[in-house]
Amino acid sequence: MDDPQMRATRAGSFGANAATYAEHRPDYPAEAVEWVIGDRTRVLDLGAGTGKLTERLLDLGVDVTAVEPDPQMRAELTRRLPDVPTMDGRAERIPLRDASVDAVVAGQSFHWFNNPEALAEITRVLRPGGVFGALWIADDDRVPWVRTLVELTASSVDDPARRRERHVPEHDLLGDAEAKDFKHQQVRTVDSMVESLRTYSHIAVAPEAERAEILARAREYLSGLPDSRGVFVRPLICEAIRAIRI
């Protein structure tokens, strides 16, 4: 994903599928979010999307502010979570005061940020002793049928070798990053699994004919699995990283 134009296209692809994203993307495991934020209570969800991570933070009883640049994603977040303060903003220009939060988290979004500008802004709004955390939900491709599905759903704009690349925050005002993986899962049907796949940027921005072919191929493969009748469990990994603001 070294082509800046394609990167921007993929990063901007989610708004058109905002409602589908909200319904079919997996949530985050509570233990992963707790590991990232610890006992901190004033949290910025940066690149909040439709509020998948925001919702988990609310479950943990923290005070959340959401910042999201895409108006369609932001509207879906507000529709789902009307009581959450939600602001138009980007990681590279966060609309908050200096040292105003004690945790900044990015769910499925840190790899879209423009560094080092974003980390300069993140460390600006973080209080000393605060934490920056990034979380990603990925298919557990150690499971054979999942690995096959990942291979079948590659696209012409995809780079499978980099899909699981871990992005590590590096900044003079952040300590060394710690990383931890958490097992997770999502209950799916063939139909809902195909809808989940539809929201992934490497599929969403593929040419229409290719996208239709990928989704049809995925549906055929999933329908042929022994356990795919009715509901089945999709094995996932939540990859989490945290770094403390010095």
Side-chain angles (χ1 to χ4, degrees), residues 120-211:
E121 278 289 273
I122 288 166
T123 54
R124 178 184 66 79
V125 302
L126 268 175
R127 299 180 181 125
V131 66
F132 171 63
L135 303 97
W136 293 270
I137 301 293
D139 286 298
D140 189 350
D141 56 12
R142 298 170 300 182
V143 178
W145 77 260
V146 176
R147 183 167 58 252
T148 300
L149 179 64
V150 170
E151 293 168 353
L152 286 172
T153 55
S155 78
S156 60
V157 298
D158 191 21
D159 184 354
R162 297 181 62 182
R163 193 181 300 175
R164 292 290 296 275
E165 179 182 347
R166 194 186 296 272
H167 295 255
V168 179
E170 295 181 350
H171 189 275
D172 290 345
L173 293 177
L174 290 176
D176 292 340
E178 300 176 83
K180 189 172 182 178
D181 291 349
F182 298 82
K183 287 187 176 180
H184 196 36
Q185 63 183 31
Q186 184 185 30
V187 176
R188 298 280 81 187
T189 64
V190 171
D191 286 343
S192 63
M193 186 67 227
V194 171
E195 290 305 302
S196 294
L197 293 170
R198 191 185 300 278
T199 69
Y200 285 87
S201 64
H202 72 278
I203 294 175
V205 304
E208 183 177 355
E210 181 187 2
R211 182 168 64 251

Side-chain angles (χ1 to χ4, degrees), residues 66-134:
V67 169
E68 166 57 40
D70 187 290
Q72 293 169 290
M73 299 287 273
R74 198 167 59 247
E76 184 66 22
L77 190 159
T78 299
R79 186 188 69 79
R80 296 176 62 243
L81 304 171
D83 295 330
V84 173
T86 303
M87 307 173 74
D88 179 9
R90 311 185 68 85
E92 300 78 18
R93 191 171 182 178
I94 300 172
L96 295 180
R97 300 187 311 276
D98 295 0
S100 58
V101 295
D102 46 35
V104 176
V105 295
Q108 220 74 17
S109 59
F110 180 51
H111 55 292
W112 299 117
F113 296 170
N114 182 13
N115 296 321
E117 290 90 346
L119 288 172
E121 278 289 273
I122 288 166
T123 54
R124 178 184 66 79
V125 302
L126 268 175
R127 299 180 181 125
V131 66
F132 171 63

Side-chain angles (χ1 to χ4, degrees), residues 29-46:
E31 61 268 30
V33 182
E34 289 177 307
W35 179 82
V36 167
I37 68 171
D39 60 358
R40 298 166 182 86
T41 57
R42 181 160 177 74
V43 182
L44 166 62
D45 186 358
L46 185 58

